Amino acid sequence: MSDSNTVYNYDSKVEGDIIFSRLDAVVNWVRQHSVWPMPMGLACCAIELMAAGGSRFDISRFGMEVMRFSPRQSDCMIVAGTVTYKMSEVVRRIYDQMAAPKWVVAMGACASTGGMYRSYAVLQGVDRIIPVDVYISGCPPRPEALLDGLMTLQKKIGREKSSRKLFTG
Amino acid sequence: MQDEFLNGLVESYDYLEKRSSVDWPAVNCPPDRLLEFLKMLRDVRGFDMLSDLTAIDNMDELPRFTVVYHLYDTQKHTLIRVASNCPEGEPPTMPTATGLWAGADWHEREAFDMFGIVFSGHPKLTRILMWDGYPHHPLRKDFPLAGKEVDLPAADVALATKEKVRPAPMAGGPFHSTPGGHMSESEPRGNDESWSEKKEKPSG
Ligand code: SF4
């Protein structure tokens, strides 16, 4: 039994220099292991995001350490912090500027739901303006939780039917 | 010593009134004498730093708005609080203190943004926290904490997302912690937890 996501193991005796696989599996495997995050650090959660990049937690073990501050070079926006209505414009605009395929991680209570800020100034969840793939609970989430969220995102990317969209855009 | 200072001040400037205070000397000053009084405090009494400028909404009392100045003496390390009631009428107005302290600029913009107090003579009185074009003044007592429905700051984002600024679900809030007790009991929570986004507020 194999579906579009099965990764076939390479057996040199059988296959020689040729590897058989599904296009989806190859494309997803590539995408999954080079996630370039856009650190949208807006409040205290960004401190944990920075910790996740440090040597103790070391985000690069999972192939997603290349934080890019240019939306053109990144494909996963990590919204780490409180999104105010005033900032919502910027968040949406940066998301629009990121090249597809792109994903969004809502890190922490604020980005997911507005958190403890039930107030006139705060957007009650960033999913109101951009589509979110993974929500991470916590205020703030520990770096491990962020890593877990990003690994969940990798699994999600692995399940995508990416080749279908590859040539049609 | 503070009492002496305050009494002396009120005696020499007959337009002043003592203002109740638990810490530093405080006076009420009429708005038309405010600038000359602040200038005197700065130049003669040594209060060389404007450490804060804010406002109070008295809501049902008249006059409704009071602007409060905290001046600091960087040599003697003392503070004085000067309060001045805005004349009645909408918008409430107050002369700007930017001519005396450049630092008054952003404080006055904040008081304008939050309370709608117009500081006459201010070089560029625009909002500082909320976005330009926001129609309300959120720290006024008649403005609900949850906010009011208005358009998003950017028209194109509003169009693309069909979103608006919506009143936040309060769900028994505002959240506050009760002092003392075990952490699990004192963590922030709403006053009334009988309803939430998922459970309707019981009527009656
Ligand atoms: S979820 Fe908590 S830690 Fe994160 S931005 Fe909000 S308040 Fe700060």
Side-chain angles (χ1 to χ4, degrees):
Chain A
M1 259 296 284
S2 63
D3 61 19
S4 64
N5 298 308
T6 311
V7 180
Y8 294 92
N9 284 330
Y10 169 66
D11 184 341
S12 64
K13 290 203 190 77
V14 181
E15 287 150 288
D17 293 338
I18 301 165
I19 299 172
F20 291 97
S21 184
R22 300 267 182 159
L23 187 53
D24 268 351
V26 174
V27 170
N28 288 346
W29 178 75
V30 170
R31 285 183 180 171
Q32 234 171 315
H33 295 98
S34 78
V35 176
W36 288 28
M38 156 92 230
M40 190 42 114
L42 300 174
C44 10
C45 272
I47 303 293
E48 298 300 298
L49 174 61
M50 287 179 239
S55 56
R56 188 181 177 99
F57 299 100
D58 194 9
I59 197 171
S60 69
R61 287 177 295 161
F62 309 101
M64 45 196 145
E65 77 281 14
V66 197
M67 301 271 176
R68 288 290 130 156
F69 292 84
S70 161
R72 311 276 182 209
Q73 300 173 349
S74 46
D75 50 14
C76 167
M77 181 188 271
I78 303 177
V79 185
T82 321
V83 188
T84 58
Y85 282 115
K86 195 174 176 181
M87 195 66 188
S88 68
E89 172 183 357
V90 180
V91 174
R92 173 72 197 201
R93 198 140 291 152
I94 290 177
Y95 176 78
D96 285 342
Q97 287 171 355
M98 286 163 57
K102 52 191 169 185
W103 301 274
V104 177
V105 174
M107 179 184 180
C110 283
S112 305
T113 68
M116 60 178 170
Y117 300 104
R118 299 289 173 95
S119 110
Y120 59 90
V122 176
L123 183 69
Q124 301 293 304
V126 74
D127 53 1
R128 295 201 171 182
I129 53 162
I130 52 177
V132 173
D133 293 279
V134 176
Y135 299 85
I136 305 173
S137 63
C139 177
R142 284 193 56 87
E144 293 95 324
L146 175 64
L147 294 177
D148 183 58
L150 287 169
M151 284 154 79
T152 308
L153 179 67
Q154 286 181 322
K155 286 198 198 107
K156 191 173 173 183
I157 295 171
R159 288 197 303 270
E160 281 179 0
K161 303 247 182 291
S162 42
S163 60
R164 219 181 271 173
K165 282 197 249 157
L166 212 52
F167 302 108
T168 54
Chain B
M1 202 193 85
Q2 281 182 23
D3 282 348
E4 245 169 70
F5 166 73
L6 185 60
N7 288 334
L9 212 56
V10 175
E11 267 165 39
S12 9
Y13 302 94
D14 57 356
Y15 51 82
L16 294 182
E17 256 172 52
K18 279 193 204 170
R19 182 181 172 84
S20 66
S21 164
V22 292
D23 43 18
W24 297 99
V27 290
N28 288 328
C29 176
D32 49 338
R33 312 298 291 271
L34 180 73
L35 286 188
E36 76 181 79
F37 179 58
L38 290 178
K39 188 167 188 328
M40 188 285 298
L41 285 178
R42 184 189 71 173
D43 297 343
V44 182
R45 303 289 179 129
F47 290 97
D48 47 355
M49 180 176 160
L50 175 72
S51 73
D52 194 18
L53 186 165
T54 185
I56 302 170
D57 180 356
N58 302 305
M59 191 62 192
D60 295 325
E61 286 164 37
L62 288 177
R64 183 169 164 188
F65 292 99
T66 309
V67 180
V68 183
Y69 301 80
H70 287 100
L71 308 186
Y72 184 65
D73 183 331
T74 54
Q75 300 299 312
K76 294 205 282 293
H77 305 292
T78 54
L79 277 158
I80 182 170
R81 183 177 303 121
V82 181
S84 188
N85 292 327
C86 297
E88 273 170 53
E90 187 62 36
T93 55
M94 189 55 63
T96 177
T98 47
L100 298 172
W101 291 278
D105 187 340
W106 285 14
H107 289 307
E108 288 181 354
R109 282 177 62 191
E110 188 183 358
F112 164 70
D113 191 357
M114 293 289 121
F115 293 93
I117 293 166
V118 173
F119 290 88
S120 48
H122 188 285
K124 187 168 182 278
L125 196 65
T126 51
R127 288 182 181 268
I128 192 168
L129 296 172
M130 306 305 283
W131 58 97
D132 292 331
Y134 186 71
H136 303 291
H137 299 290
L139 283 193
R140 289 194 172 186
K141 291 246 165 83
D142 49 9
F143 184 88
L145 175 60
K148 292 183 180 173
E149 188 173 308
V150 296
D151 289 335
L152 283 182
D156 56 338
V157 173
L159 195 69
T161 60
K162 310 238 177 352
E163 263 302 322
K164 278 173 163 275
V165 174
R166 296 180 204 282
M170 294 312 285
F175 300 96
H176 61 85
S177 52
T178 32
H182 189 264
M183 255 175 83
S184 61
E185 267 116 55
S186 61
E187 70 182 13
R189 58 187 62 193
N191 286 333
D192 171 14
E193 292 187 326
S194 61
W195 63 287
S196 67
E197 286 99 295
K198 298 223 174 78
K199 217 167 97 199
E200 284 268 303
K201 186 175 187 171
S203 56

